[in-house]
Amino acid sequence: MKEFKINLSKGEVLYTGSYICTLSKTAASTPEQISLEAAAEKLAEEVIMQQAMNREHQRQQDVTVIQFRQAQEDIKLLQAENKRYRNALEFYAHETTYTNEFEDCPPAVELDGGQTARKALEGAAE
């Protein structure tokens, strides 16, 4: 029979071989002989613990994937919104003129012929 040294997650070390099993409470302590049933129980506990850890890791990975997809969607929405604002700003920078017809309303672009809006666009492009 092959001999195995199994490091358990609780810091214990299980040694098996030739139908003799020993368990050491820490890697540095002296191993104590245990029955095959006790060794099987220790291994079963370890498998159950590993399965629980695997489930938790899978859950965390699923949450991360969902968050990543949501972030991608948010980026797309923000890019579309940014494009709409940029287009509107370019429109006002090139097309809007101030007329006396709307004296009581503040102009959409300052009276500098859209220079302020153009500077804002240049600053956003950098």
Side-chain angles (χ1 to χ4, degrees):
M1 178 177 190
K2 289 186 176 181
E3 293 187 12
F4 295 97
K5 175 185 173 188
I6 303 166
N7 294 316
L8 304 175
S9 57
K10 294 180 181 177
E12 299 172 325
V13 181
L14 179 65
Y15 300 92
T16 65
S18 303
Y19 303 103
I20 297 174
C21 299
T22 57
L23 181 69
S24 131
K25 296 295 182 184
T26 66
S29 66
T30 305
E32 299 175 17
Q33 188 170 345
I34 60 173
S35 68
L36 289 174
E37 291 83 15
E41 191 174 309
K42 284 286 185 187
L43 288 174
E45 289 173 4
E46 184 69 17
V47 167
I48 290 168
M49 186 178 298
Q50 290 295 325
Q51 287 175 335
M53 289 172 51
N54 288 345
R55 281 192 302 272
E56 177 61 18
H57 289 153
Q58 182 62 47
R59 186 193 69 75
Q60 289 176 359
Q61 186 176 19
D62 292 344
V63 167
T64 302
V65 167
I66 291 168
Q67 289 173 337
F68 179 76
R69 288 182 181 154
Q70 182 62 48
Q72 283 182 318
E73 186 63 30
D74 290 346
I75 289 169
K76 286 179 187 177
L77 292 173
L78 288 170
Q79 286 173 335
E81 185 178 6
N82 186 32
K83 186 176 181 180
R84 282 195 313 272
Y85 286 133
R86 180 174 289 276
N87 289 342
L89 189 57
E90 286 176 0
F91 170 78
Y92 284 118
H94 298 304
E95 302 296 328
T96 303
T97 58
Y98 181 76
T99 64
N100 290 334
E101 183 177 327
F102 300 104
E103 286 181 9
D104 294 334
C105 299
V109 178
E110 291 185 18
L111 296 176
D112 62 0
Q115 290 302 318
T116 303
R118 284 188 191 90
K119 287 178 185 174
L121 280 173
E122 291 169 1
E126 293 176 359

